[in-house]
Amino acid sequence: MTTLVTGATGKVGRHVVAELRAAGEDVRAISRSPEAPGLPDDLRVYRADLAHPGSLLEALAGVERLYLYPYAPTADEVVKLARESGVRRVVVLSSRAVSLGTDTDRHLPVEQAVEASGLEYAFIRPNDFAANKTDLWGPMIREDRTVRFPDPDEISNPVHERDIAAVAAAALLADGAPPAVHEVTGPEILTQRRQAELIGEAIGVPVRFEPTPPEETLRLLTAQGGWVAQMAPFLLGLAPYSEGEPIPGFSPEELREIWKPRSTVLDVTGRPPRSFLEWAREHRADFL
């Protein structure tokens, strides 16, 4: 069978490609930037864009499995094209925010389009991406070894992108399996301060955490541009995740439950999830 990986040059997609190829699968990929580094030279990479569903037609020909990066505006059309092209199984990179009810317009519409299609499917809902720290904190740490964020005691459960990809690849290969939702977490709850300390341990230089008011942090993140600027108001608790929804408010007990480690990675892949320190060591160059 042939699997098509969308968003193949992204943080997770490139590892989905690697997992599938390591399993001996026939893989092809699409990306808006096929020349981006990180993909094997012998991989069939098609230039296509989920924002323009028709651009996927050539890549979809002969494909039975689809790893779908979430792009809500065209999800219905993309899924329709996939079904008409012969795709039988779809695995969606989604978000734990769907489970929490705080996502109604980003990942949820993609899940709904796939669920309504009649195709086999699995939804991958990761917790906090460890990889987001390279964009959020990388510029600050590279500048003066200081993280400027509001609350050093705020907790999360960062998950390694390779673990997300491993669960996604296993779900793609589970032909005939019933619909599934995989909530993917890291192995431990960590405060923001502790995450900064572990990055410092990984790079061999102490990283200081400087509590900074949300408005000042927003200014710093907005200046970085890209997805960081777009998502900064939500990450700082100044705006909801989905437009038109209320800003979520969770008690300390609810937050501990939200970030509680799940056994998903071990259950699906047969090995435990990677630690945040292991992730930081792999990404050492991003903070130097």
Side-chain angles (χ1 to χ4, degrees):
M1 289 189 179
T2 299
T3 302
L4 176 63
V5 177
T6 65
T9 53
K11 289 182 171 70
V12 177
R14 66 185 62 198
H15 294 295
V16 174
V17 169
E19 290 279 345
L20 292 171
R21 283 169 62 95
E25 295 297 314
D26 180 41
V27 184
R28 65 181 68 164
I30 69 166
S31 173
R32 290 178 299 174
S33 304
E35 67 281 356
L39 294 177
D41 291 338
D42 61 342
L43 180 70
R44 287 177 293 171
V45 184
Y46 297 78
R47 185 183 297 276
D49 190 341
L50 290 168
H52 304 285
S55 67
L56 278 67
L57 283 173
E58 182 181 2
L60 280 168
V63 166
E64 291 102 343
R65 306 184 188 112
L66 175 65
Y67 169 79
L68 185 57
Y69 182 86
Y71 185 72
T74 61
D76 288 328
E77 188 173 352
V78 167
V79 172
K80 180 176 182 288
L81 288 175
R83 187 180 64 248
E84 292 173 348
S85 297
V87 169
R88 295 191 294 138
R89 184 167 185 81
V90 181
V91 171
V92 178
L93 177 62
S94 189
S95 169
R96 276 293 307 286
V98 175
S99 302
L100 298 174
T102 57
D103 179 320
T104 57
D105 61 7
R106 296 176 183 271
H107 300 84
L108 180 60
V110 183
E111 289 194 7
Q112 291 172 330
V114 172
E115 189 172 11
S117 70
L119 299 172
E120 295 180 17
Y121 69 84
F123 302 146
I124 313 300
R125 296 180 182 172
N127 258 355
D128 181 26
F129 277 47
N132 288 346
K133 289 297 189 293
T134 61
D135 298 322
L136 286 168
W137 291 0
M140 303 178 191
I141 293 174
R142 290 193 297 270
E143 181 180 0
D144 60 4
R145 303 295 185 258
T146 302
V147 170
R148 294 174 177 84
F149 238 67
D151 184 2
D153 296 320
E154 179 187 350
I155 60 171
S156 70
N157 183 326
V159 58
H160 198 305
E161 62 270 19
R162 287 170 60 194
D163 288 332
I164 301 169
V167 172
L172 283 162
L173 298 179
D175 295 306
V181 174
H182 299 299
E183 295 187 340
V184 186
T185 75
E188 56 193 335
I189 294 174
L190 297 170
T191 65
Q192 301 299 297
R193 188 191 302 278
R194 183 57 180 153
Q195 291 177 49
E197 291 172 350
L198 290 171
I199 292 172
E201 181 177 336
I203 66 176
V205 181
V207 173
R208 190 168 64 94
F209 195 106
E210 181 180 306
T212 307
E215 293 75 13
E216 174 62 14
T217 308
L218 179 61
R219 185 189 66 79
L220 294 172
L221 296 181
T222 301
Q224 291 180 205
W227 78 263
V228 170
Q230 181 184 6
M231 293 300 296
F234 164 72
L235 295 171
L236 297 171
L238 302 174
Y241 188 77
S242 289
E243 187 175 348
E245 297 295 319
I247 296 175
F250 297 105
S251 69
E253 294 76 17
E254 288 172 326
L255 287 171
R256 298 292 297 188
E257 178 62 26
I258 288 170
W259 297 122
K260 182 178 71 176
R262 266 71 172 171
S263 62
T264 305
V265 175
L266 179 61
D267 293 344
V268 174
T269 71
R271 57 161 187 74
R274 298 167 173 88
S275 70
F276 185 76
L277 178 58
E278 183 175 354
W279 174 86
R281 285 171 172 160
E282 290 182 19
H283 290 268
R284 185 173 182 270
D286 294 314
F287 298 102
L288 291 174

